[in-house]
DNA sequence: CTTTTTGCAAATGATTTGCATTAAC
DNA sequence: GTTAATGCAAATCATTTGCAAAAAG
């Protein structure tokens, strides 16, 4: 008995991605499905290399260029967000709902952050300047709990 | 007759940087002064290469590694903010006061944005998680006025 | 005079590209 | 069958590093 409130099951995630790809006239490949599924399972900010390591057991011949291409595709589909950083590779955030980030300027760590923030006025102001907003993200830089404690 | 409300004059900017450097036991070099001055004069988001081009007339032998090192130093001093981007070099923002950014995901353009936004609650929430906030920036991605009109 | 900063050349690291092969459709 | 996607190798681009020479204090 599957309650209607249940979290999306794995094959369901696959079906959603497949549908989105077909909508765009693009092909449903095992690489795309496995990378997409792995991101959902990892459920944290990961680099392209980390994605590669995570999927290699299930896709022995996978290559880094394919991982990058797929991550870019998933970003276009809106299921992944790329977070560019100084002093390190970009991270990919699999959380699809709007949320914010805490970025440690000492260790580079990026944490999700659910900020109490009303973005309606800001979004309207951006639109008032002719800008067509897509996403609004608050980026808080500082020292994470660990680095603040250390020194 | 210099009104007291006048914008900081160039030599004044130099003196402020020199003082900050001496405070940290670092040396006041012409490269640092000229790069700092150029950023203030450019008054827009620029890449390290663009900074190099801007200062070369005044510093014929300047090198890109020095520009990078100086920009990093100025970031530590809080007079410049680095904005990392996908698909392009980092940009350096010479505006010292808190403000936000509109990032075009079509052409990559980054504009300053004075958002009507109350960050006190968000800052407090970050602190509540043990994070020591330093800066809060809203990043709005979407299409800039030009790209929205075109595409 | 001592130590930091610079410029240069070279290294590094992330990401992208070209192209032949493979797999979707 | 046709066309898009993949894997590989190599290229590219931004940024950093090592080290001898120059400049600051």
């Amino acid at each position: 008995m599957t309650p209607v409130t249940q979290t999306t099951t794995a094959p369901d995630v696959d079906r959603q991605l497949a549908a989105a790809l077909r909508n765009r006239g693009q092909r449903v490949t095992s690489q795309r499905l496995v990378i997409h599924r792995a991101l959902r399972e990892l459920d944290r900010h990961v680099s392209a290399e980390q994605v590669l390591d995570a999927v290699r057991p299930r896709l022995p011949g996978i290559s880094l260029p394919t991982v990058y291409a797929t991550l870019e595709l998933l970003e276009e589909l809106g299921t992944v967000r790329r977070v560019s950083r100084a002093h390190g590779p970009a991270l990919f955030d699999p959380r699809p709902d709007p949320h914010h980030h805490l970025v440690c300027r000492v260790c580079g760590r990026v944490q999700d952050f659910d900020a109490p923030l009303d973005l309606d006025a800001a979004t309207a102001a951006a639109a008032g300047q002719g800008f067509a907003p897509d996403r609004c993200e608050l980026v808080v830089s500082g020292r994470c709990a660990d680095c603040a404690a250390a020194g």
Side-chain angles (χ1 to χ4, degrees), chain A:
Chain A
M1 271 208 246
T2 304
V4 285
T5 54
Q6 190 194 339
T7 291
T8 305
T9 58
D12 209 41
V13 165
D14 288 355
R15 256 182 273 115
Q16 285 171 19
L17 176 61
L21 287 170
R22 288 202 199 87
N23 268 339
R24 295 170 44 121
Q26 291 183 292
R27 295 183 180 174
V28 180
T29 67
S30 55
Q31 288 87 342
R32 287 170 179 174
L33 291 171
V34 171
I35 289 171
H36 184 238
R37 184 101 71 90
L39 282 164
R40 294 301 185 87
E41 287 166 7
L42 286 165
D43 192 36
R44 59 192 176 84
H45 304 105
V46 284
S47 66
E49 292 271 7
Q50 290 175 317
V51 172
L52 182 69
D53 292 345
V55 300
R56 225 195 298 257
R58 286 189 269 180
L59 295 168
I62 184 103
S63 70
L64 200 45
T66 298
V67 172
Y68 273 105
T70 303
L71 288 169
E72 187 161 8
L73 173 61
L74 294 178
E75 193 184 21
E76 281 170 31
L77 295 177
T79 69
V80 164
R81 244 193 283 180
R82 185 190 205 125
V83 183
S84 300
R85 295 181 307 167
H87 310 301
L91 298 182
F92 295 85
D93 177 354
R95 202 176 135 183
D97 62 303
H99 64 280
H100 307 283
H101 287 127
L102 303 178
V103 182
C104 180
R105 66 177 159 69
V106 177
C107 70
R109 184 176 165 206
V110 178
Q111 308 171 63
D112 282 344
F113 176 45
D114 293 294
L117 202 61
D118 179 21
L119 294 173
D120 294 348
T123 305
Q129 292 186 209
F131 192 91
D134 223 49
R135 275 160 196 251
C136 283
E137 181 192 356
L138 187 70
V139 178
V140 183
S141 344
R143 279 175 302 157
C144 71
D146 293 352
C147 291

